[in-house]
Amino acid sequence: MSDKLDLMADGKRQMELCNACRYCEGYCAVWRAIEWRREFSDRDMTYLANLCHDCRDCYYACPFIPPHDFGIHPPKVFAGLREETYRKYAWPGKWAKALGERVSGFWATFVFSILFILGFMFVNGGVEGMLQPHTGENAFYAVFPQNLMISVFTLLGLWMVAGWGIGASRYWKDIRSGKSIKEKVLFKDIKTATLYAASLKYLDGEGAGCTYPSEEPAKSRRLFHHLVGYGFLLDLASTTLAAFYEHILHDPAPYPLLHPVVILGSVGGIMLIIGLIGLLYLKSKSDKDVNDEKAVKTGSAFSVALLIVAITGMVLLALRETAIMQVLLAIHLGSVAALFFTAPYSKFSHFVYRYLSLVNYAQEERVANEREAIKHAKLVKKAVAATSGISAKQ
Ligand code: SF4
Ligand code: SF4
């Protein structure tokens, strides 16, 4: 039997035991989703795995963890299955598997940076031409023509978005198959899921934080996650605003330090750097017995790749008026290109699958709450009828 089947079969065995125990009820969304099921299919397991955010509360609370014969270890099983998700649903299938297993963000950054340096040399007629100082308006495009830069990043952006889009549609189709028309997703489910995602609700541990990196609850992981998430969004806003200035207002980069594009980009960059270093630090301190080695490797590779983007962006901003601007620009563009190229099958795709799992969860939660409310109303009606019957007799 393959490792994948072992993991899936063992996960189902563990979930059946957990469903009989239910001590962890209320720890996170996973436990309510387990409660609504009697049997666990492959697609259920994949969905639960992407709903789990590895807080480890259940592991530290469980009396049946290894070396107990039951060998219960939900965070490890889910981490292993999440890893499978990044390859199984990604597009293009075989490429995703091969690239995901062999090309890390770091190596992709290295290769793309070299390609950009070679490209700069080609465009500028050799090393000397490339190293000519370029400052002031349009300095970046003097090294690398604007149209070429737009074409390269449009292609990479399309690759990334197509990869995520196809992966999302495959994943959604799979986890939603077998649902009836009554279980359709409503706009309010999307709203609930978005609120859960934006607030990182399940990393909060009801106010105490999560048991990561050790058994002691801490809020640092949620804080660092917030810094990374919102820092990334600020950088995205900065890039979008830069495109607006350039193409609509015909005011090209580089911009002065107090320009809105630079302010948004710098604040986002600093948030990203602090958040990513924090998450990498927590990972290095996390309990080795609970970790899934492969998942730790994938997660760290993505954090390092994103950290290189943030750091090279900040260094480029600080040294853009110097003679090494061209080299820094090549490395920064290389790191961004690597991030785009590996995005569909790296840990970067995690947010896609997690968000869809939250939408599915919000729909299931709403239906379960509605059913409970109907049941409750019936019980109240029965009790009222019984009480009025007694009163009438009296
Ligand atoms: S993880 Fe352990 S304590 Fe929690 S529900 Fe499963 S068996 Fe029970
Ligand atoms: S590790 Fe945390 S998020 Fe994952 S199932 Fe256990 S309690 Fe839920």
Side-chain angles (χ1 to χ4, degrees), residues 17-18 21-24 31 58 61-64 72 74:
L17 283 168
C18 285
C21 166
R22 293 200 178 169
Y23 178 79
C24 295
W31 297 101
C58 58
C62 184
F64 308 120
I72 300 287

Side-chain angles (χ1 to χ4, degrees), residues 167-329:
S169 119
R170 287 174 175 172
Y171 178 71
W172 185 247
K173 227 189 248 168
D174 196 14
I175 64 167
R176 295 287 302 170
S177 58
K179 296 262 182 204
S180 72
I181 191 81
K182 282 187 192 155
E183 297 169 293
K184 67 177 180 208
V185 171
L186 304 181
F187 179 68
K188 56 183 165 187
D189 302 327
I190 296 173
K191 213 169 120 192
T192 308
T194 308
L195 275 177
Y196 287 166
S199 62
L200 295 176
K201 175 178 160 76
Y202 292 105
L203 274 179
D204 186 37
E206 310 226 311
C210 58
T211 46
Y212 189 100
S214 67
E215 200 168 344
E216 203 57 46
K219 297 187 177 187
S220 45
R221 187 161 174 241
R222 184 168 180 242
L223 173 73
F224 290 138
H225 257 288
H226 269 313
L227 286 173
V228 172
Y230 289 107
F232 184 81
L233 288 179
L234 284 183
D235 278 348
L236 200 64
S238 162
T239 311
T240 313
L241 193 62
F244 175 77
Y245 269 91
E246 191 159 327
H247 301 295
I248 309 289
L249 305 181
H250 304 290
D251 177 11
Y255 303 108
L257 284 182
L258 290 179
H259 192 280
V261 169
V262 180
I263 295 173
L264 280 178
S266 312
V267 175
I270 292 168
M271 285 167 72
L272 267 177
I273 292 170
I274 299 173
L276 288 164
I277 291 177
L279 287 177
L280 284 166
Y281 173 76
L282 292 182
K283 210 171 279 251
S284 75
K285 293 279 158 204
S286 65
D287 192 340
K288 305 282 175 285
D289 291 339
V290 196
N291 287 344
D292 175 278
E293 279 315 311
K294 203 170 169 196
V296 170
K297 230 171 118 190
T298 318
S300 303
F302 168 63
S303 298
V304 169
L306 192 54
L307 189 57
I308 296 173
V309 172
I311 291 177
T312 53
M314 296 302 287
V315 175
L316 179 63
L317 176 67
L319 303 179
R320 61 191 172 160
E321 299 287 329
T322 69
I324 58 162
M325 180 275 274
Q326 296 86 317
V327 179
L328 290 172
L329 181 63

Side-chain angles (χ1 to χ4, degrees), residues 111-127 129-130 140-145 148-149 152 326 329-330 333:
V111 171
F112 274 107
S113 300
I114 299 286
L115 287 176
F116 272 104
I117 288 177
L118 291 174
F120 284 13
M121 279 163 55
F122 180 74
V123 169
N124 291 276
V127 182
M130 177 190 137
F140 294 159
Y141 301 131
V143 192
F144 201 56
L148 193 54
M149 199 180 300
V152 168
Q326 296 86 317
L329 181 63
L333 293 180

Side-chain angles (χ1 to χ4, degrees), residues 46-57:
T46 308
Y47 158 57
L48 294 172
N50 283 284
L51 208 50
C52 166
H53 54 79
D54 198 22
C55 79
R56 302 170 176 198
D57 283 353

